[in-house]
């Protein structure tokens, strides 16, 4: 089955994994709703580049900590395209600190963006998917949805929550031709990971090079960073007919991390 002409909303798609997923889906002829922060001019260039693939792409600046803005973004999607077929909950942030130093406002922000936003987008998207009799919800969780690492209490908590949410909603919509799954990547070299290298070095009292080698890749048995394209390809597979009976679960793309 071709996915051409469907509409996908990808939260946090101005950078990293979300942008890669938007580009892959656009290549398949899927219209895109972009979302995320960044320089207005750069976002417009990214949006225009998506349209060069022969699809329509719009940008919505909804802040994932603001439920009203999320609801308005789904409404704009329906107004613009008449349907919302694929929802990719990808926006996420990180903060690395021991629990006793963890800023409470960062805790709240991470729980809101990395976990609760999935609820706010999904609750608004599901009625449209039910009406059209087809849908795909893909939550970008993390290997940290399955296992922990020290100093990432809010992130690990949020990502574990995302997997629980994924399973619950999958059961609720199982007979509506809607699948709900998560992808659990290991380390992908995106701005989110680059930014946490200095903090991790500080928290552990080691050099940034040691963080890359001994911390980030220590748990990845392939000794390779996961690529954005590999995560985007997994998302595309989950959208395909091959994945029609895959629901309420996760796909690990972590170089063997969670197997150990
Ligand atoms: P990134 O920093 O490159 O991109 C994050 C995106 O989220 C950006 O577009 C940013 O503007 C957007 N965003 C941040 N706060 C937002 C808000 N309040 N409202 C709307 N958008 C917001 O990060 P990334 O590495 O591409 O991460 C994407 C997702 O993948 C995250 O959920 C992250 O937890 C997950 N993940 C990343 C890795 C990795 O190693 N990079 C591994 C596992 C999971």
């Amino acid at each position: 089955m071709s996915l051409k002409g469907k509409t996908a909303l990808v939260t946090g798609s101005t950078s990293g994994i979300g942008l890669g997923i938007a580009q892959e889906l656009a290549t398949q002829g899927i219209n895109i709703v972009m979302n995320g922060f960044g320089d207005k001019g750069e976002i417009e260039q990214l949006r225009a580049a998506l349209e060069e693939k022969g699809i329509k792409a719009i940008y919505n600046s909804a802040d994932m900590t603001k439920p009203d803005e999320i609801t308005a973004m789904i409404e704009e999607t329906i107004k613009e395209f008449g349907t919302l077929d694929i929802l990719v909950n990808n926006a996420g942030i990180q903060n690395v600190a021991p629990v006793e130093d963890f800023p409470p406002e960062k805790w709240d922000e991470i729980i809101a963006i990395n976990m609760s936003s999935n609820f706010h987008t999904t609750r608004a998207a599901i009625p449209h998917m039910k009406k059209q009799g087809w849908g795909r919800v893909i939550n970008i969780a993390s290997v940290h949805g399955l296992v922990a690492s020290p100093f990432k209490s809010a992130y690990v908590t949020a990502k574990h929550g995302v997997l629980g949410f994924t399973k619950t909603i999958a059961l609720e919509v199982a007979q509506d031709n809607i699948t709900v799954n998560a992808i659990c990547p290991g380390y992908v070299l995106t701005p989110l990971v680059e930014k946490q290298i200095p903090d991790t070095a500080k928290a552990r009292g080691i050099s940034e090079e040691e963080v890359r080698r001994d911390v980030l890749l220590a748990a990845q048995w392939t000794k390779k960073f996961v690529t954005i394209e590999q995560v985007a390809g997994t998302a595309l597979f989950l959208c395909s007919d091959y994945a029609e009976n895959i629901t309420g679960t996760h796909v690990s793309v972590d170089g063997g991390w969670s197997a150990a």
Side-chain angles (χ1 to χ4, degrees):
M1 189 204 77
S2 167
L3 294 164
K4 202 170 178 338
K6 292 202 182 290
T7 299
L9 188 163
V10 186
T11 70
S13 46
T14 53
S15 165
I17 293 170
L19 177 59
I21 292 173
Q23 289 166 335
E24 178 60 55
L25 297 184
T27 303
Q28 305 302 320
I30 298 169
N31 297 317
I32 300 292
V33 182
M34 280 183 82
N35 159 261
F37 297 152
D39 177 80
K40 278 198 164 48
E42 281 171 26
I43 292 172
E44 175 49 27
Q45 277 181 11
L46 293 170
R47 191 201 61 78
L50 289 176
E51 289 204 330
E52 278 166 26
K53 296 173 187 285
I55 54 106
K56 184 168 169 63
I58 63 167
Y59 166 71
N60 183 292
S61 63
D63 180 338
M64 290 302 108
T65 65
K66 305 211 165 97
D68 292 353
E69 293 188 16
I70 293 173
T71 310
M73 176 173 65
I74 306 283
E75 279 166 10
E76 195 199 346
T77 304
I78 298 300
K79 203 170 141 216
E80 195 67 36
F81 296 105
T83 121
L84 172 52
D85 306 289
I86 299 162
L87 169 65
V88 183
N89 288 309
N90 166 81
I93 59 165
Q94 177 61 285
N95 189 67
V96 181
V99 70
E100 63 271 33
D101 299 332
F102 211 94
E105 60 281 7
K106 270 286 164 203
W107 171 278
D108 288 342
E109 197 185 351
I110 290 175
I111 297 297
I113 298 171
N114 295 19
M115 188 180 78
S116 300
S117 75
N118 292 21
F119 161 70
H120 294 293
T121 53
T122 304
R123 66 174 278 282
I126 287 293
H128 301 288
M129 293 180 178
K130 278 187 174 171
K131 212 187 301 166
Q132 70 215 18
W134 193 92
R136 295 285 190 264
V137 179
I138 300 171
N139 300 323
I140 306 304
S142 166
V143 67
H144 284 126
L146 301 164
V147 299
S149 293
F151 314 123
K152 298 182 177 179
S153 52
Y155 188 90
V156 171
T157 301
K159 296 297 187 181
H160 275 69
V162 167
L163 291 190
F165 182 70
T166 301
K167 291 189 232 180
T168 308
I169 309 312
L171 302 186
E172 292 183 20
V173 299
Q175 293 181 30
D176 295 299
N177 217 15
I178 303 168
T179 68
V180 186
N181 292 292
I183 299 176
C184 293
Y187 278 115
V188 189
L189 271 186
T190 65
L192 178 138
V193 170
E194 299 278 9
K195 265 184 270 173
Q196 65 186 283
I197 292 175
D199 291 344
T200 305
K202 206 169 133 205
R204 292 180 183 242
I206 56 177
S207 73
E208 293 190 15
E209 187 43 41
E210 285 169 320
V211 170
R212 282 170 191 269
R213 192 190 60 223
D214 301 336
V215 181
L216 301 185
L217 287 181
Q220 254 164 244
W221 288 70
T222 53
K223 296 298 163 201
K224 287 179 188 159
F225 284 100
V226 175
T227 67
I228 290 172
E229 291 74 18
Q230 289 161 358
V231 180
T234 306
L236 177 61
F237 166 69
L238 288 173
C239 291
S240 74
D241 278 353
Y242 295 117
E244 194 180 287
N245 257 306
I246 299 178
T247 196
T249 189
H250 66 271
V251 180
S252 287
V253 189
D254 66 4
W257 182 333
S258 59

